[in-house]
Amino acid sequence: MSTMQNPFIARTAVARRRRMIDKAASVFAVAMTAFGLIYLVWILATLLVNGIGGLSLNVFTRSMGASGSNGGLLNAIVGSLIQTAIGTAIGTPIGLMVGTYLAEYARKSAFGNLVRFVSDMLMSAPSILVGLFVYQAMVLHTGGFSAWAGGIALAILVVPVVVRTTEDMLRLIPDTLREAAIGLGAPKWKMIRFVCYPAAKHGIITGILLAVARIAGETAPLIFTSFGNQRWSTDLTSAMASLPVTIYQYAATPNDDLVQLAWTGALLITVGVLGINLIARALLRGGAKG
């Protein structure tokens, strides 16, 4: 009887130990999740409390000014939109083409692996290095700081995000769809254009929006490229204001009104990035249902 019970007792002890480990891991995961959420809510609440008090019509209708001049953030908001648009317009097509090449033409080639490695390295590189690179390569040789330099720095940050997303989304498409299109006589470029892109469009658009959300709050690259401008300016060949740089400059001043504008600018960027992420999630969910 004892020889029959021993294996059963051993299996019961193992099962009990596994349940205890599973429960401990679950409790730890929930605790860490709650810890992260508490700090996230704390940060957002602090930003909301400190930033909402500075919201006024002047913020959106007046340009930056000296302390006590009742200035706003109009030129910084417009400058951020312009430079983000430049970065997205330049970086998105490049990232889309490179991602398509990696997914459709170079899945296992040595050159494709090299491109993929460089793209992944660029994605994880500190953004300040990108700013220094553009400063050395462009600012010092084109007459100084400019919105073009800022946009190109942001474009470099956009490229690896779009590359990775495009490649991953295209790889998820079943090969049977490709074979069906090629079997009907379609050349490969038409198969990619009319079969692969429509099937992966929700994921690709999501990746583009996430890239926009990343560059919208970048400060370091713009300090070295577009630098900032206290006055209204839409000249792409000269220094241009941006919200991240303005926040950095105003937050370090001893003037309460400028610090308040820094909080308000941070709130605007956060709301904008949050909105972009919500749109991206909605598109991704819609693509999954489709």
Side-chain angles (χ1 to χ4, degrees):
M1 185 68 177
S2 59
T3 58
M4 295 292 294
Q5 288 178 344
N6 286 339
F8 176 76
I9 294 174
R11 287 195 297 270
T12 302
V14 170
R16 185 183 300 112
R17 185 168 65 252
R18 288 176 177 174
R19 285 195 298 269
M20 291 178 61
I21 294 174
D22 178 71
K23 185 175 294 185
S26 299
V27 171
F28 179 77
V30 171
M32 292 299 100
T33 301
F35 180 79
L37 287 176
I38 288 172
Y39 270 92
L40 178 61
V41 172
W42 189 0
I43 292 171
L44 293 177
T46 302
L47 183 61
L48 184 63
V49 170
N50 289 279
I52 200 169
L55 283 176
S56 67
L57 191 60
N58 286 341
V59 172
F60 304 98
T61 58
R62 301 190 62 176
S63 296
M64 299 161 56
S67 177
S69 64
N70 204 21
L73 296 172
L74 177 61
N75 59 329
I77 295 172
V78 173
S80 284
L81 293 175
I82 290 174
Q83 293 172 81
T84 300
I86 293 173
T88 305
I90 295 175
T92 297
I94 297 173
L96 184 63
M97 293 299 101
V98 174
T100 302
Y101 170 76
L102 293 177
E104 301 295 336
Y105 295 95
R107 290 194 178 187
K108 297 181 180 179
S109 69
F111 181 70
N113 290 334
L114 176 62
V115 173
R116 194 175 292 110
F117 174 76
V118 172
S119 176
D120 291 342
M121 288 293 293
L122 184 59
M123 183 182 294
S124 60
S127 59
I128 192 170
L129 296 182
V130 175
L132 285 170
F133 169 76
V134 177
Y135 176 78
Q136 288 287 336
M138 185 173 179
V139 173
L140 293 180
H141 303 287
T142 58
F145 301 105
S146 67
W148 277 117
I152 290 175
L154 297 181
I156 295 175
L157 297 174
V158 167
V159 169
V161 179
V162 179
V163 168
R164 172 54 65 189
T165 307
T166 301
E167 182 186 5
D168 289 345
M169 291 301 105
L170 291 177
R171 279 177 172 269
L172 290 176
I173 298 173
D175 287 336
T176 51
L177 288 178
R178 296 179 174 86
E179 294 168 357
I182 293 175
L184 292 173
K188 190 165 186 176
W189 73 267
K190 279 193 174 182
M191 177 268 293
I192 296 172
R193 168 64 181 83
F194 295 104
V195 176
C196 294
Y197 281 166
K201 65 180 180 180
H202 290 284
I204 293 174
I205 294 174
T206 299
I208 295 171
L209 291 176
L210 292 176
V212 172
R214 180 191 176 184
I215 65 175
E218 287 291 348
T219 304
L222 299 183
I223 292 177
F224 289 99
T225 53
S226 61
F227 188 68
N229 194 339
Q230 292 286 328
R231 301 181 303 276
W232 171 267
S233 175
T234 55
D235 183 4
L236 301 183
T237 62
S238 64
M240 182 177 288
S242 62
L243 265 180
V245 175
T246 300
I247 293 168
Y248 171 77
Q249 293 171 342
Y250 278 6
T253 66
N255 304 300
D256 292 339
D257 57 337
L258 299 185
V259 173
Q260 178 63 71
L261 278 176
W263 279 109
T264 302
L267 177 62
L268 294 177
I269 288 181
T270 303
V271 171
V273 171
L274 178 62
I276 292 173
N277 278 278
L278 290 176
I279 294 172
R281 283 182 171 273
L283 285 173
L284 193 59
R285 190 179 298 114
K289 289 181 180 179

